[in-house]
Amino acid sequence: MNNTDLSRIILSDHSRIAAAISTGAAWEVWFQVEFLILLRAAHLGVAREVAYPPPNQGLHLDVLAGQGVKQYAIEVKVESATNAGNRLLAETRKDIEKIAKFTEPVEARWVVSLAYSDEAKRTLRGFTVENGGHAIYHEEGGIGCMIFSV
């Protein structure tokens, strides 16, 4: 699996993601569960809240996904009422710094960032252009998905 495959897996669910956002409820928790279901449907093993290795064992990884011997460390950030617009990128940057501390050997370390507002999507697109070697951005059904590779 590569970052584009991961983006396709996520955005294949764009209509349900949009419906969850429209409820105005805490959709980040919903998305974490939905994300695990999507990964399982793509035949990946998944674990949530995996402790980072020492000396960072106080931190927890959102998702550790596996396919055969390949494992993927994934942190997830979604736009919400508390990090709308430009704040989404600031929170995403924190997860980029965080996942760099996940030192277990994995195939890839990714930070997934999902946006729905025009401002947040524009910000993620700009960040992707600035970090083209590390980030990809795709949009489907009004949902923007950036994946940053560390």
Side-chain angles (χ1 to χ4, degrees), residues 126-148:
F127 185 76
T128 299
V129 169
E130 294 169 9
N131 295 276
H134 294 278
I136 63 167
Y137 177 86
H138 297 114
E139 201 169 308
E140 185 74 34
I143 305 300
C145 176
M146 183 188 76
I147 300 176
F148 189 91

Side-chain angles (χ1 to χ4, degrees), residues 69-141:
V69 296
K70 296 180 179 178
Q71 292 199 322
Y72 309 91
I74 306 168
E75 291 288 353
V76 177
K77 193 57 62 193
V78 303
E79 184 178 14
S80 66
T82 59
N83 68 356
N86 290 332
R87 289 189 305 245
L88 175 62
L89 181 57
E91 294 301 314
T92 300
R93 286 178 189 265
K94 290 178 186 176
D95 274 359
I96 291 168
E97 291 173 13
K98 177 184 172 188
I99 203 166
K101 297 174 184 173
F102 190 83
T103 56
E104 291 290 325
V106 291
E107 187 73 15
R109 287 171 190 77
W110 291 318
V111 175
V112 173
S113 188
L114 293 182
Y116 57 83
S117 74
D118 290 340
E119 181 181 6
K121 289 186 287 188
R122 186 172 42 256
T123 301
L124 292 181
R125 280 192 300 268
F127 185 76
T128 299
V129 169
E130 294 169 9
N131 295 276
H134 294 278
I136 63 167
Y137 177 86
H138 297 114
E139 201 169 308
E140 185 74 34

Side-chain angles (χ1 to χ4, degrees), residues 9 37-46 66-68:
I9 289 169
I37 292 167
L38 290 169
L39 292 171
R40 285 180 178 167
H43 309 290
L44 283 103
V46 294
Q67 193 171 41

